[in-house]
Amino acid sequence: MEKVSIKSLYRNTDEYIGKKVKFSAWLRTLRASNAFGFIEVNDGSFFKNLQVVFDTKLENFKEISKLPISSSISVVGTLMATPDAKQPFEIQADEIIVEGMSSSDYPLQKKRHTFEYLRSIAHLRPRSNAFSAVFRIRSVAAYAIHKFFNERNFVYVHTPIITGSDCEGAGEMFRVTTLDLSNIAKTEKGDIDFKKDFFGKESNLTVSGQLNGECFALAFRNIYTFGPTFRAENSNTARHAAEFWMIEPEIAFADLQDDMELAEDMLKYVIKYVMDECPEELEFFNQFIDKGLLERLNHIITSDFGRITYTEAVDLLKKSGHQFEYSVEWGIDLQTEHERYLTEEIFKKPVFVINYPKDIKAFYMRLNEDGKTVSAMDCLVPGVGEIIGGSQREERLAVLEKRMAELGLNKENYWWYLELRKYGETIHSGFGLGFERLIMYITGMSNIRDVIPFPRTTGQSEF
Amino acid sequence: MEKVSIKSLYRNTDEYIGKKVKFSAWLRTLRASNAFGFIEVNDGSFFKNLQVVFDTKLENFKEISKLPISSSISVVGTLMATPDAKQPFEIQADEIIVEGMSSSDYPLQKKRHTFEYLRSIAHLRPRSNAFSAVFRIRSVAAYAIHKFFNERNFVYVHTPIITGSDCEGAGEMFRVTTLDLSNIAKTEKGDIDFKKDFFGKESNLTVSGQLNGECFALAFRNIYTFGPTFRAENSNTARHAAEFWMIEPEIAFADLQDDMELAEDMLKYVIKYVMDECPEELEFFNQFIDKGLLERLNHIITSDFGRITYTEAVDLLKKSGHQFEYSVEWGIDLQTEHERYLTEEIFKKPVFVINYPKDIKAFYMRLNEDGKTVSAMDCLVPGVGEIIGGSQREERLAVLEKRMAELGLNKENYWWYLELRKYGETIHSGFGLGFERLIMYITGMSNIRDVIPFPRTTGQSEF
């Protein structure tokens, strides 16, 4: 007898009513009297549990009645519609085989656990309702991203994780080395001898695939990366992790307007896709984690995002009369409180802020005619603030070199990046989306540690 | 006027015949006389170039006649069918705008370059025919993998890149650290003080996501990883890179037979998908890189893979009378020459070899009844040898602990892996596929450096 998944029983119930089915699953709850019992099982294929009813006609009734939570079982039984019950159907068991007996000290008993506690059992937490929902949505959203770009003929590029260059010219990086730390190789002068290291030079974990992505955009026109990136920042907040995944599209023959259109289309596509594929999970989050979630998501996919310049935004914030913790002046980097006020109070929908002062943005962003702002864009969404940051890239070799000199960046380290401008410069643009920020936004989960399977943060590389 | 992609001109030619179109692209070749000229352009959306014809009716005829290779241009012109020419159609230009002028010392001139030389200009090589084909196929194959697993309701898991544990209990690893290498923090005893390091303990780059993947398989039943993995092996071969991408599915309630079925289905699906989506690229490889390529790929998707035990394989190799460099005895690890002989000469198709001696396989593989072999499988394919390695995992806690003790592995380091067996042990299986090996197999490219956008190998972390 072929096994079925619980998902297919839920999605195609009519086909199975009155029929015998077989499946394997893990026990989530169990209640039993002397005569009969109820088991809720989950096989990981679907958010909801399946109820199995069993009675003394089972040879191993007694053993089953006492099974610890999380034991794995195989069931043969008949699917019965239960129109008067909470769940639409249940299984009346003919046979239950114990595949793997759990232990009575299983840490995920039915009572509620704090997310903090669940982080300490990251190997087991995907078996809980909340985390099964988070990690299925993470998977579905990742697929939506690939599907979105594939439909538009974008080339997916695996940019390098280990790198000799530092894209942002900032950001604390993790060193990657095979040097013997207890006996570091030294040169005659007494410096560290990186020639003896694996790559023959200082190498670090990447903070962004953008510069490499640009090389490919200038060959394939439209490309994207989707891979892990790293920050060795010692900041112990709910929004920062040392290891996180980023999506970085890069589009050639495209300006900042094209860039914003792409970002808006992508966000809407991914959110819509998750809403279509994971209604049960989103319902759960809407009920238990974030009451306004579904309304907010619906709002996003139906609004046209606003657009405003940084200079206008600063004016609006100053005129708002609102008392901010950090006061607003032209030239400051907008804080989350400012971003949220713009998107939540002024626009009441997502908004792109464009043309930021060059001094608060990266060297590769395209200088505007005014000589003091760059063609940058940040996408702000209600409840979060910035979720996407992007720009048109500086394609003019002379302007780029001048800016790098101003910032003290060494041209030789960027020889290949500069050559992209020498050999067929083309206007091009791109942006970065932090994947975990997106998952937090879609689920309403408020700590980045709770949307990463095995989070890496200061002092935490367990599992 | 809306821009079109060259891909859509090729795929929907009939719609465009006689019509005016606009597009942007890079110049690949140019020939011009005093009266007219031919340009071949490519916009990265499609493998093939598009021919543009222009003449003196263009105001900037002279400028265009002398454009360096790799300049970017925008063209408005009429698409004309050319039934007698090599290419099916061409564009008669009304207007050509120079978007970005390249330089005459552009390194990718029309002559043939060695792959070795092209590696030194990894930022430009995707603009060449061979590498545009390689990296598009890499992207399409990656999508096929996600699509395959998504259709089967597998959950995609991002397992950690930075890790405190060493999955294989072997393999040289890269250290990840924020310690100041010129002044390493020491404990009172004089040891390295890893408490001062970012994660508070020794941390490395992952060699496999499998152990983490198992945690998720025992919650979601069917999962896969697809991410970068690392080996700090100092081996300078055509088949080894320090950074490469792996696909690692893990399936619960599934034995070695299920595992092999999944592997066979996946390989066939991905190869078929690339053949459907990239006929032009594969034709190119078949013609210029590997004459038997298409025949070999066709053979794979139409054969039923063979199955044989290690013990039978050793017997067949010994009886074959073939003179191998490494002689064959029960207990040895099969060399590539043995693997290739099995799949190319004996089976003449892909073959799974199962039940290897436990001493040459990893600690987590399930011990067979005979007490000396494990439920492992390697998938061997003609032209390559091993392309996939997998096993049923040891789910019996006592057997696993015994094996770990035999191998001197410290139980405490694996506490969470062992708990998976304590709390609802379930038979489960999985395998690993090196993504670059697959791309080499599909394209016929023979050096791993030529299927990775920016390869990292001993002494090489440039770009």
Side-chain angles (χ1 to χ4, degrees):
Chain A
M1 195 172 179
E2 187 98 343
K3 280 186 201 168
V4 295
S5 73
I6 292 179
K7 181 176 185 179
S8 66
L9 296 181
Y10 267 97
R11 290 282 191 245
N12 315 296
T13 311
D14 289 349
E15 276 180 37
Y16 291 107
I17 286 177
K19 298 221 174 101
K20 225 161 240 198
V21 295
K22 181 178 178 181
F23 53 87
S24 297
W26 292 277
L27 195 155
R28 284 274 182 93
T29 70
L30 184 148
R31 292 172 291 139
S33 70
N34 288 334
F36 57 90
F38 299 95
I39 296 175
E40 280 190 86
V41 296
N42 192 294
D43 72 350
S45 70
F46 194 62
F47 180 66
K48 293 195 170 172
N49 296 333
L50 174 58
Q51 176 155 291
V52 177
V53 190
F54 64 100
D55 58 32
T56 49
K57 86 167 177 254
L58 297 192
E59 269 182 33
N60 55 353
F61 176 80
K62 278 204 173 154
E63 184 195 5
I64 301 298
S65 301
K66 288 174 191 158
L67 271 184
I69 308 287
S70 190
S71 297
S72 57
I73 56 178
S74 289
V75 178
V76 177
T78 307
L79 189 145
M80 308 295 281
T82 50
D84 300 329
K86 205 178 62 179
Q87 69 283 358
F89 58 88
E90 64 186 22
I91 303 292
Q92 293 190 345
D94 295 326
E95 190 185 356
I96 299 181
I97 297 163
V98 179
E99 302 278 352
M101 178 87 86
S102 187
S103 169
S104 59
D105 63 347
Y106 180 62
L108 267 171
Q109 298 296 333
K110 224 209 153 176
K111 66 170 184 140
R112 267 201 174 225
H113 300 283
T114 64
F115 287 152
E116 207 152 20
Y117 168 69
L118 291 172
R119 273 172 226 148
S120 73
I121 49 168
H123 59 311
L124 302 176
R125 67 175 179 169
R127 306 178 185 190
S128 69
N129 281 332
F131 288 97
S132 103
V134 166
F135 293 123
R136 191 185 319 276
I137 284 180
R138 189 177 166 113
S139 168
V140 167
Y143 188 68
I145 283 163
H146 286 300
K147 191 162 151 56
F148 172 80
F149 286 115
N150 183 66
E151 284 172 8
R152 292 172 176 233
N153 199 31
F154 278 56
V155 167
Y156 176 34
V157 186
H158 290 140
T159 49
I161 310 301
I162 300 172
T163 172
S165 50
D166 173 352
C167 164
E168 306 270 337
E172 297 187 53
M173 300 177 87
F174 287 104
R175 171 64 44 86
V176 175
T177 184
T178 53
L179 292 175
D180 178 358
L181 299 193
S182 56
N183 184 18
I184 296 272
K186 295 274 168 81
T187 63
E188 278 184 18
K189 279 186 182 168
D191 299 329
I192 301 166
D193 189 0
F194 284 107
K195 291 221 182 328
K196 297 255 164 64
D197 207 347
F198 191 92
F199 296 107
K201 62 190 268 197
E202 296 186 55
S203 295
N204 299 298
L205 290 179
T206 186
V207 296
S208 161
Q210 179 197 318
L211 303 198
N212 299 97
E214 285 185 49
C215 301
F216 271 63
L218 295 179
F220 287 108
R221 183 171 166 193
N222 292 331
I223 67 98
Y224 71 108
T225 73
F226 186 178
T229 49
F230 304 84
R231 295 284 154 81
E233 268 175 81
N234 215 326
S235 55
N236 201 8
T237 81
R239 288 163 57 87
H240 291 89
E243 176 179 319
F244 54 98
W245 285 61
M246 286 244 284
I247 296 114
E248 297 183 283
E250 193 73 31
I251 49 181
F253 301 110
D255 62 16
L256 195 68
Q257 298 300 321
D258 300 310
D259 206 31
M260 287 189 280
E261 268 172 43
L262 181 69
E264 181 170 342
D265 289 352
M266 184 197 70
L267 275 184
K268 287 176 171 172
Y269 184 98
V270 174
I271 291 171
K272 175 83 167 46
Y273 188 86
V274 173
M275 291 176 80
D276 289 345
E277 296 290 320
C278 301
E280 290 83 5
E281 284 83 352
L282 288 179
E283 188 50 56
F284 170 86
F285 288 117
N286 195 56
Q287 197 174 340
F288 295 107
I289 305 290
D290 180 354
K291 296 272 182 228
L293 179 70
L294 282 174
E295 194 188 325
R296 207 177 64 216
L297 296 179
N298 260 313
H299 186 52
I300 285 231
I301 60 174
T302 51
S303 354
D304 287 323
F305 293 12
R307 296 185 183 194
I308 187 178
T309 66
Y310 169 88
T311 304
E312 290 163 350
V314 165
D315 280 350
L316 286 177
L317 290 169
K318 286 170 84 168
K319 282 183 199 146
S320 70
H322 186 84
Q323 196 63 42
F324 295 106
E325 193 183 336
Y326 292 89
S327 68
V328 182
E329 283 307 325
W330 199 97
I332 65 150
D333 207 354
L334 297 181
Q335 302 295 315
T336 302
E337 57 170 339
H338 308 134
E339 294 174 342
R340 293 187 58 170
Y341 191 85
L342 282 166
T343 176
E344 290 166 19
E345 303 299 326
I346 299 182
F347 279 85
K348 299 186 195 303
K349 64 179 184 181
V351 56
F352 289 105
V353 179
I354 65 170
N355 297 341
Y356 283 78
K358 68 174 181 180
D359 292 331
I360 59 170
K361 288 292 184 183
F363 75 93
Y364 50 71
M365 298 191 177
R366 192 178 197 278
L367 191 65
N368 287 324
E369 297 285 292
D370 62 18
K372 56 183 189 173
T373 64
V374 287
S375 278
M377 63 93 163
D378 279 2
C379 179
L380 315 180
V381 292
V384 167
E386 186 205 328
I387 195 164
I388 282 176
S391 73
Q392 188 166 338
R393 315 309 188 188
E394 184 56 78
E395 86 284 7
R396 296 162 299 185
L397 183 58
V399 183
L400 182 59
E401 286 184 332
K402 183 158 169 275
R403 185 69 186 140
M404 288 174 69
E406 278 169 22
L407 294 168
L409 295 173
N410 186 345
K411 260 171 62 169
E412 271 118 63
N413 293 343
Y414 295 85
W415 67 271
W416 50 273
Y417 188 68
L418 293 168
E419 279 198 1
L420 298 179
R421 278 70 186 167
K422 185 175 173 195
Y423 298 122
E425 65 180 38
T426 305
I427 63 161
H428 63 289
S429 303
F431 64 81
L433 166 69
F435 187 55
E436 282 75 14
R437 288 266 168 99
L438 177 66
I439 302 305
M440 290 166 77
Y441 193 64
I442 294 179
T443 59
M445 297 292 283
S446 56
N447 194 312
I448 196 168
R449 293 167 181 79
D450 295 330
V451 298
I452 299 178
F454 301 92
R456 269 72 182 104
T457 53
T458 318
Q460 175 56 44
S461 66
E462 188 65 49
F463 302 106
Chain B
M1 195 174 182
E2 187 97 343
K3 280 186 201 169
V4 295
S5 73
I6 291 178
K7 181 176 185 180
S8 65
L9 296 181
Y10 268 96
R11 290 283 190 243
N12 314 296
T13 311
D14 290 351
E15 276 179 39
Y16 290 107
I17 286 177
K19 297 219 176 104
K20 223 158 243 199
V21 296
K22 182 178 177 180
F23 54 86
S24 296
W26 292 277
L27 195 155
R28 285 272 183 95
T29 70
L30 185 147
R31 292 172 289 138
S33 71
N34 288 333
F36 58 90
F38 298 94
I39 296 175
E40 279 190 88
V41 295
N42 191 294
D43 73 349
S45 69
F46 194 62
F47 180 67
K48 292 195 171 173
N49 296 333
L50 173 59
Q51 176 154 292
V52 177
V53 190
F54 64 99
D55 59 33
T56 48
K57 88 170 175 249
L58 297 191
E59 267 181 34
N60 55 354
F61 175 80
K62 277 203 172 154
E63 185 196 5
I64 300 299
S65 301
K66 289 176 190 155
L67 271 185
I69 307 286
S70 190
S71 297
S72 57
I73 56 177
S74 290
V75 179
V76 177
T78 307
L79 188 146
M80 308 296 281
T82 51
D84 301 329
K86 204 178 61 176
Q87 70 285 356
F89 58 88
E90 64 186 22
I91 303 292
Q92 293 189 344
D94 295 328
E95 192 186 354
I96 298 181
I97 297 163
V98 179
E99 301 279 352
M101 178 87 87
S102 186
S103 168
S104 59
D105 63 347
Y106 180 61
L108 266 172
Q109 298 296 330
K110 224 208 152 175
K111 68 171 179 136
R112 267 202 177 227
H113 300 282
T114 64
F115 287 152
E116 207 153 21
Y117 169 69
L118 291 172
R119 273 172 226 149
S120 73
I121 50 168
H123 59 311
L124 302 176
R125 70 177 177 167
R127 306 178 186 189
S128 70
N129 281 332
F131 288 97
S132 103
V134 166
F135 293 122
R136 192 186 317 277
I137 283 180
R138 188 177 167 112
S139 168
V140 167
Y143 188 69
I145 283 163
H146 286 300
K147 192 163 152 53
F148 172 80
F149 286 114
N150 183 66
E151 285 172 8
R152 293 171 174 234
N153 200 30
F154 278 56
V155 167
Y156 176 34
V157 185
H158 290 139
T159 49
I161 309 302
I162 300 171
T163 174
S165 50
D166 174 352
C167 165
E168 306 270 339
E172 299 187 50
M173 300 177 88
F174 287 104
R175 171 64 45 86
V176 175
T177 183
T178 53
L179 290 176
D180 178 358
L181 299 194
S182 55
N183 185 19
I184 295 271
K186 295 272 167 81
T187 63
E188 278 184 16
K189 279 189 182 166
D191 299 330
I192 301 165
D193 189 359
F194 284 109
K195 290 220 182 325
K196 298 256 165 62
D197 207 348
F198 191 90
F199 296 107
K201 62 190 267 197
E202 296 187 54
S203 296
N204 299 300
L205 291 180
T206 185
V207 296
S208 162
Q210 179 197 317
L211 304 198
N212 299 97
E214 285 185 49
C215 302
F216 271 63
L218 295 179
F220 287 108
R221 182 172 167 192
N222 292 330
I223 66 99
Y224 71 108
T225 74
F226 186 179
T229 48
F230 304 84
R231 295 283 153 83
E233 269 175 80
N234 216 325
S235 56
N236 201 9
T237 81
R239 289 163 59 87
H240 291 88
E243 175 179 318
F244 55 99
W245 285 60
M246 284 244 284
I247 296 112
E248 297 182 283
E250 193 73 29
I251 49 181
F253 301 110
D255 62 15
L256 196 68
Q257 298 300 321
D258 301 311
D259 206 30
M260 286 189 281
E261 267 172 42
L262 181 69
E264 181 170 343
D265 288 352
M266 184 197 70
L267 275 184
K268 287 176 171 173
Y269 185 99
V270 174
I271 290 170
K272 175 81 168 44
Y273 188 86
V274 173
M275 291 175 82
D276 289 345
E277 295 290 319
C278 301
E280 291 82 4
E281 283 84 352
L282 288 179
E283 187 49 56
F284 170 86
F285 288 117
N286 195 56
Q287 197 174 340
F288 294 109
I289 304 291
D290 180 353
K291 297 274 182 226
L293 179 70
L294 282 175
E295 194 187 325
R296 206 176 65 217
L297 296 179
N298 260 313
H299 186 51
I300 285 231
I301 60 174
T302 52
S303 3
D304 287 322
F305 292 13
R307 295 184 185 196
I308 186 177
T309 66
Y310 168 88
T311 304
E312 290 162 350
V314 165
D315 280 350
L316 285 177
L317 289 169
K318 285 168 87 168
K319 282 184 197 146
S320 70
H322 186 85
Q323 195 62 44
F324 294 108
E325 193 182 337
Y326 293 88
S327 67
V328 182
E329 284 306 327
W330 199 96
I332 66 152
D333 205 356
L334 298 181
Q335 302 295 315
T336 302
E337 57 170 339
H338 307 135
E339 294 173 342
R340 291 188 60 171
Y341 191 84
L342 280 166
T343 175
E344 291 167 18
E345 304 299 327
I346 300 181
F347 279 86
K348 299 185 195 303
K349 65 180 183 179
V351 57
F352 288 105
V353 179
I354 65 171
N355 298 341
Y356 282 79
K358 69 175 180 179
D359 292 331
I360 58 169
K361 289 290 183 183
F363 75 93
Y364 50 70
M365 297 189 178
R366 193 178 197 279
L367 191 65
N368 287 325
E369 298 285 293
D370 62 18
K372 57 182 191 172
T373 63
V374 288
S375 277
M377 63 94 164
D378 280 2
C379 179
L380 316 180
V381 292
V384 166
E386 186 206 329
I387 196 164
I388 282 177
S391 74
Q392 187 167 338
R393 316 308 187 187
E394 184 57 80
E395 87 282 8
R396 296 162 298 186
L397 183 58
V399 182
L400 182 58
E401 286 184 334
K402 182 157 170 273
R403 185 69 187 140
M404 287 173 69
E406 278 170 21
L407 294 169
L409 294 173
N410 186 344
K411 260 171 62 168
E412 271 119 63
N413 293 343
Y414 295 85
W415 67 272
W416 50 274
Y417 188 67
L418 293 168
E419 280 199 1
L420 298 179
R421 277 69 186 168
K422 185 174 173 195
Y423 299 122
E425 65 179 38
T426 305
I427 62 160
H428 62 291
S429 304
F431 64 81
L433 166 69
F435 187 54
E436 282 75 15
R437 289 264 169 100
L438 177 66
I439 302 305
M440 289 166 76
Y441 192 64
I442 295 178
T443 58
M445 297 293 283
S446 55
N447 194 310
I448 197 169
R449 292 167 181 79
D450 296 330
V451 300
I452 298 178
F454 301 92
R456 270 71 181 103
T457 52
T458 318
Q460 175 56 43
S461 66
E462 187 66 48
F463 302 105

